């Protein structure tokens, strides 16, 4: 891997974090977004990350300032990618927007440039042809709060070149990620392929009135040694996201128990402002949730 210049396209929640994490690890980063207003918002968002890197990672003032110095901002796509070895795409999770972006990107990027998508739910094969260079395209998926939750799921589509895959794995490690490699396409990657069924199963145990959230979490924690159970995890994810996911699944399957889960999340939690850790209450109350009490597992 001999990447030097990285362009991050889309400077929202994740794009800002990917760009700063990459610059923090010594790469030259260009941030691209649709207009200067969006880039101004990104500058503000990224400036605020400096304090998080100091608090959470023990970074010095000099280090966080130097990282910012390695970044530039450009709302002209051709100029933003003119020297890019790798373009990481973090634009909205909307198929026509991404397809259109990849068509334009493929036309203006240098021939050697690799493209990687941070999409959470869409597969790279959906966009491979639009890029005009399918062999140089794959998924590179990060988690929110990238500096702490440092997973990078790297997923090939059937046409991805093996060397490109290896180089992107090396790049992910070079920016401080734990590289998790997927040799075939899988919706939800590895993490959500494991997590979503667990969360679904916990919610179903609850609406079938088999057990309460604390008992379900305690079972998982004692039984597997995990530090959190599924309801504690749902509080971290946020109950609005959990509701949107289960509602879509209820509509798609017509499963009445999933409809019950959606109803429960809405009336007992979301309508009451209990959205999880972010609002101080979800299934548990924060900052001192009962599952963190020393006697929780024994009681
Ligand atoms: P966001 O809405 O916060 O940011 C999207 C950015 O893309 C905005 O700044 C917007 O102006 C810009 N944009 C829109 N159209 C564009 C275009 N044509 N070209 C360039 N920029 C454009 O979204 P986000 O939450 O950062 O998500 C972006 C991607 O990252 C999605 O694919 C999402 O699935 C993925 N992702 C998000 C998270 C998360 O927790 N938010 C986690 C992992 C992956």
């Amino acid at each position: 891997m001999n990447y030097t210049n990285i362009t991050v396209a889309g400077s929202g929640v994740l794009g800002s974090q990917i760009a700063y994490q990459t610059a923090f690890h010594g790469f030259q980063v260009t941030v691209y977004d649709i207009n200067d207003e969006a880039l101004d918002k990104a500058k503000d968002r990224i400036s605020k990350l400096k304090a998080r890197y100091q608090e959470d990672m023990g970074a010095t003032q000099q280090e966080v300032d130097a990282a910012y110095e390695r970044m530039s901002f450009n709302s002209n796509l051709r100029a933003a990618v003119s020297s890019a070895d790798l373009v990481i795409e973090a634009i909205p999770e909307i198929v026509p927007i991404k397809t259109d972006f990849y068509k334009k990107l493929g036309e203006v990027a240098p021939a050697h440039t690799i493209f990687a998508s941070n999409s959470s739910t869409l597969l790279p094969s959906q966009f491979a042809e639009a890029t005009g260079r399918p062999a140089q395209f794959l998924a590179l998926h990060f988690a929110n709060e990238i500096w702490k939750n440092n997973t990078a799921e790297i997923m090939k589509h059937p046409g991805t070149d093996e060397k490109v895959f290896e180089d992107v794995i090396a790049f992910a490690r070079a920016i401080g990620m734990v590289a998790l490699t997927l040799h075939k396409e899988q919706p939800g990657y590895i993490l959500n392929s494991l997590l979503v069924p667990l969360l679904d199963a916990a919610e179903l145990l609850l609406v079938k009135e088999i057990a309460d959230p604390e008992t379900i979490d305690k079972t998982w924690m004692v039984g597997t040694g995990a530090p959190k159970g599924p309801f504690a995890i749902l509080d971290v994810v946020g109950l609005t996201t959990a509701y949107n996911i289960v509602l879509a699944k209820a509509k798609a399957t017509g499963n009445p128990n999933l409809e019950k889960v959606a109803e429960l999340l809405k009336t007992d939690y979301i309508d009451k402002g209990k959205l999880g850790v972010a609002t101080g209450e979800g299934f548990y109350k924060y900052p001192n949730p009962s599952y963190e009490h020393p006697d929780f597992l024994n009681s």
Side-chain angles (χ1 to χ4, degrees):
M1 188 268 300
N2 53 0
Y3 301 165
T4 308
N5 299 312
I6 313 295
T7 297
V8 178
S11 61
V13 175
L14 253 284
S16 294
Q17 295 181 17
I18 297 165
Y20 192 67
Q21 177 76 12
T22 303
F24 188 79
H25 284 269
F27 291 87
Q28 294 297 322
V29 176
T30 304
V31 181
Y32 165 75
D33 209 303
I34 40 175
N35 54 39
D36 290 339
E37 199 189 333
L39 289 175
D40 283 342
K41 284 189 196 150
K43 285 176 195 165
D44 188 45
R45 209 176 282 118
I46 292 167
S47 299
K48 288 186 179 134
L49 288 177
K50 289 183 180 180
R52 301 298 304 274
Y53 276 66
Q54 288 181 286
E55 276 163 39
D56 296 341
M57 311 303 290
T60 64
Q61 186 69 45
Q62 200 189 359
E63 284 169 333
V64 296
D65 289 343
Y68 196 83
E69 293 294 306
R70 283 189 283 274
M71 307 182 79
S72 64
F73 297 80
N74 203 317
S75 59
N76 177 304
L77 184 60
R78 186 183 292 273
V81 301
S82 63
S83 61
D85 299 307
L86 171 69
V87 175
I88 304 172
E89 171 269 309
I91 72 173
E93 194 75 343
I94 298 170
V95 174
I97 293 184
K98 287 204 197 275
T99 306
D100 184 53
F101 170 77
Y102 281 117
K103 278 187 190 152
K104 288 184 181 145
L105 177 65
E107 284 164 17
V108 297
H112 81 281
T113 309
I114 307 301
F115 303 163
S117 174
N118 181 48
S119 171
S120 295
T121 61
L122 305 167
L123 295 174
S125 55
Q126 275 178 269
F127 308 105
E129 284 314 312
T131 66
R133 58 186 81 189
Q136 287 161 245
F137 178 56
L138 76 182
L140 172 58
H141 180 241
F142 298 98
N144 196 12
E145 306 213 331
I146 181 173
W147 61 97
K148 287 193 298 184
N149 304 327
N150 62 333
T151 57
E153 294 184 283
I154 300 141
M155 183 167 78
K156 292 201 277 194
H157 70 86
T160 308
D161 184 274
E162 189 62 32
K163 168 84 165 62
V164 170
F165 186 53
E166 296 298 330
D167 280 354
V168 173
I169 293 167
F171 166 74
R173 291 189 177 128
I175 61 163
M177 297 290 114
V178 176
L180 305 161
T181 52
L182 285 83
H183 296 271
K184 289 184 185 169
E185 289 195 325
Q186 167 66 28
Y189 301 85
I190 297 171
L191 181 58
N192 283 335
S193 296
L194 294 168
L195 188 57
V196 173
L198 173 73
L199 301 182
D200 283 352
E203 290 166 340
L204 289 173
L205 287 169
L206 178 64
V207 295
K208 289 184 192 167
E209 299 179 357
I210 289 164
D212 59 75
E214 290 201 343
T215 306
I216 295 167
D217 276 7
K218 201 182 296 181
T219 307
W220 185 252
M221 292 163 75
V222 177
T224 68
K228 282 189 180 70
F231 289 98
I233 296 173
L234 280 165
D235 278 352
V236 174
V237 170
L239 300 194
T240 309
T241 301
Y243 170 75
N244 289 335
I245 293 171
V246 82
L247 188 66
K249 224 177 272 176
K251 280 187 183 154
T253 61
N255 180 335
N257 282 320
L258 291 176
E259 282 168 17
K260 271 195 204 168
V261 173
E263 182 60 26
L264 171 100
L265 288 173
K266 181 154 180 6
T267 52
D268 288 7
Y269 295 92
I270 295 170
D271 288 351
K272 294 179 178 165
K274 299 178 186 177
L275 305 183
V277 178
T279 60
E281 188 170 355
F283 289 101
Y284 295 92
K285 286 189 180 160
Y286 299 87
N288 296 306
S290 60
Y291 68 82
E292 282 181 356
H293 293 177
D295 56 357
F296 180 73
L297 297 181
N298 306 318
S299 58

